[in-house]
Amino acid sequence: MKVSTNTPVSALTTMRLGGDARYCITITTPSDLADAYAFAADKGLPTYILGGGSNVVGRDGGFDGVIMLNQLKSITAVSETSDQLLLRVGSGEDLDALVHFTVARDWCGIEALAAIPGTVGGAIMQNAGAYGQEIAQVLLGVDVYDTQTGEHVHLPTDDLALCYRRSIFNSDGPDSAKGRYFITAALLNLHKNELAGDLYGSLQDYLDKNDISDRRPQTICAAVTVIRGEKLPDPATTASSGSFFKNITIDQADIEPLRTQYPGIPIFLIGNCWEIASGWLIEQVGLKGQLIDGMRVSDKAALILINESAAGYDDLARARETIVAAVKERFGFTLQQEPEEL
């Protein structure tokens, strides 16, 4: 267990904003957790679990507490048959690395999650999804450290309340367990069933444009990687949190009236949710490519905010409110921020 002091949150998060964290503890084995939480409790400080920092925005005042930096990395085959592979994956494992591990072995289930920055733990916390797949579709359960009891236990997927960008780990309400558990590993069920039916629009367009007809996991992974690379900034070189706003979820009954009112509006089904692409809404109000208070609305994908010259969190907040207000005035929808704030 490594403890550091006064670590800049801006150095731990891909938006590169935020003051210092009072303490940062690097977690490399599950056995570190009891001592790490005892350290925080002894000092009477709050804790925050951080993975790759790609879905977290820091505030200027920093964090007067203890960041638990998740470095739990492992990929282990629990069992394998001709049509099923069970993997136990450390929650600090890079999600994209896991995707490439599975597709190299011709297993299906998470190939469309390629090139999403962040860790497996973060993907579970917000039920990461893209191009028609969600982590919930292959997740059997998670191993966690229970900070209330000090025990390591297993939680089945049915207990996690997974839905669009939500779980018990990041939501409020009666089923919330925010701050209670530290996810240490995930149990995933991969299979041999390739993506079927209508594919997500931009993915199908890419396959058609390049005369690609097969849907093997390697093919989908490669296509998604190219598509994301053309639209999304590399957090290693560009200050961004990726998709900054959640898509708008709607009822199925609203689809046809919306399509009549707004021809061309992109509406699609992800898991059990019908969604409107929020990037399209932002583009329609004329903000794509605009620089607002130091934050650039990407000219490639309007859902992306890039920190070009923001002096601090307040600049980001003003840019966010400008975008939210414009979409609300035009369409009546209220955009919600996807990254958490620290």
Side-chain angles (χ1 to χ4, degrees):
M1 185 179 80
K2 178 183 176 182
V3 182
S4 59
T5 59
N6 300 321
T7 302
V9 173
S10 59
L12 300 175
T13 55
T14 60
M15 188 61 92
R16 299 177 195 161
L17 293 175
D20 292 348
R22 186 168 177 184
Y23 295 101
C24 181
I25 299 179
T26 303
I27 307 297
T28 57
T29 69
S31 60
D32 289 339
L33 289 167
D35 289 340
Y37 279 98
F39 176 92
D42 182 64
K43 296 184 178 299
L45 294 173
T47 61
Y48 187 88
I49 302 167
L50 188 64
S54 59
N55 202 50
V56 177
V57 173
R59 296 188 181 94
D60 297 341
F63 181 61
D64 189 21
V66 182
I67 288 180
M68 305 292 186
L69 191 59
N70 186 356
Q71 293 290 312
L72 298 176
K73 297 180 181 292
S74 63
I75 303 176
T76 305
V78 177
S79 65
E80 184 173 1
T81 66
S82 61
D83 58 2
Q84 183 184 61
L85 172 66
L86 297 184
L87 291 179
R88 177 165 279 107
V89 183
S91 59
E93 193 67 54
D94 180 78
L95 178 61
D96 188 52
L98 172 64
V99 171
H100 281 82
F101 177 92
T102 61
V103 302
R105 290 157 178 79
D106 204 32
W107 287 101
C108 304
I110 57 173
E111 60 271 26
L113 306 187
I116 294 178
T119 62
V120 170
I124 292 167
M125 185 181 74
Q126 64 162 347
N127 187 24
Y131 302 101
Q133 289 182 337
E134 289 181 329
I135 197 74
Q137 295 167 345
V138 298
L139 184 67
L140 295 182
V142 292
D143 298 332
V144 300
Y145 175 76
D146 187 338
T147 64
Q148 291 186 3
T149 66
E151 297 178 331
H152 290 268
V153 297
H154 182 80
L155 301 177
T157 299
D158 286 348
D159 292 349
L160 306 184
L162 295 171
C163 57
Y164 177 66
R165 301 299 181 266
R166 286 173 59 88
S167 69
I168 63 170
F169 305 112
N170 71 351
S171 62
D172 298 313
D175 60 356
S176 174
K178 187 184 295 185
R180 175 173 178 175
Y181 299 112
F182 187 115
I183 302 171
T184 58
L187 186 63
L188 304 180
N189 180 25
L190 284 302
H191 52 78
K192 290 293 186 180
N193 299 319
E194 298 175 0
L195 283 172
D198 295 334
L199 298 182
Y200 188 92
S202 58
L203 176 56
Q204 187 63 63
D205 290 345
Y206 177 87
L207 297 179
D208 292 342
K209 180 180 177 181
N210 291 278
D211 296 321
I212 299 172
S213 58
D214 80 78
R215 297 185 177 187
R216 291 174 299 171
Q218 299 96 327
T219 302
I220 298 299
C221 174
V224 168
T225 299
V226 171
I227 295 168
R228 291 183 68 89
E230 292 175 346
K231 293 183 177 181
L232 306 181
D234 181 355
T237 59
T238 304
S240 173
S241 295
S243 297
F244 192 81
F245 295 104
K246 299 177 183 179
N247 285 330
I248 301 294
T249 57
I250 61 172
D251 293 330
Q252 188 171 3
D254 296 329
I255 294 175
E256 288 310 314
L258 283 168
R259 284 177 172 162
T260 299
Q261 186 175 4
Y262 304 111
I265 188 171
I267 300 174
F268 45 90
L269 181 65
I270 297 292
N272 295 320
C273 293
W274 286 99
E275 302 173 14
I276 299 171
S278 292
W280 184 87
L281 302 177
I282 297 169
E283 184 173 354
Q284 296 303 303
V285 298
L287 294 179
K288 186 176 183 179
Q290 296 298 306
L291 182 65
I292 310 171
D293 291 291
M295 302 299 300
R296 177 78 66 183
V297 180
S298 172
D299 60 359
K300 296 180 179 179
L303 201 59
I304 310 299
L305 293 188
I306 297 170
N307 177 8
E308 286 194 1
S309 56
Y313 172 82
D314 287 348
D315 283 351
L316 170 63
R318 284 192 295 271
R320 176 188 63 213
E321 294 313 309
T322 296
I323 297 167
V324 170
V327 170
K328 177 72 172 178
E329 181 179 2
R330 171 76 179 276
F331 294 100
F333 297 119
T334 301
L335 295 177
Q336 294 185 339
Q337 178 176 315
E338 184 169 319
E340 291 194 345
E341 296 189 357
L342 173 58

